Amino acid sequence: MTSETRVASIDELEAGFLREMGDDRWAATETAYALAVLHRELGNWNRSREWVKQCLHLLDGFPSDTEEQVATKRLTAGGVPLPTYLHDGVVRGRFGTPA
């Protein structure tokens, strides 16, 4: 595995999320999605749901009328594969509706 394919630690992704919130909210949304995926894979269901909620909250602030508006800007966030399109329906389809 090369450094390009290494999955970032949760701490690294959370630090990236905080940086991104200041200057690139779309990147922060992608990172929130990646954090939800990582926590789910580790069996941290409550933390995964928290990141799903954060991702959905951030998505509310973006238009979603066209594919271009919901297309992810990166292939991965911290080594976690991102969907081609990131919108409410994709998140709820992959994680369900958070309680």
Side-chain angles (χ1 to χ4, degrees):
M1 183 180 293
T2 68
S3 62
E4 294 176 344
T5 59
R6 180 183 79 81
V7 174
S9 71
I10 287 174
D11 288 342
E12 290 170 324
L13 272 176
E14 287 180 354
F17 172 81
L18 292 174
R19 279 191 310 276
E20 293 163 350
M21 281 297 290
D23 62 0
D24 188 344
R25 290 180 64 85
W26 183 257
T29 305
E30 292 175 345
T31 300
Y33 175 89
L35 281 158
V37 169
L38 279 182
H39 279 290
R40 181 179 63 186
E41 288 176 355
L42 294 171
N44 301 331
W45 308 113
N46 289 334
R47 292 290 290 149
S48 179
R49 275 192 296 277
E50 290 172 18
W51 284 106
V52 168
K53 288 178 188 178
Q54 180 66 58
C55 183
L56 290 170
H57 173 73
L58 289 167
L59 285 170
D60 280 343
F62 293 101
S64 59
D65 299 322
T66 68
E67 286 183 356
E68 183 177 273
Q69 291 172 327
V70 298
T72 51
K73 308 298 185 253
R74 306 177 279 182
L75 296 176
T76 67
V80 176
L82 295 172
T84 303
Y85 302 107
L86 187 57
H87 55 79
D88 182 88
V90 168
V91 175
R92 290 181 192 278
R94 294 192 181 182
F95 293 97
T97 301

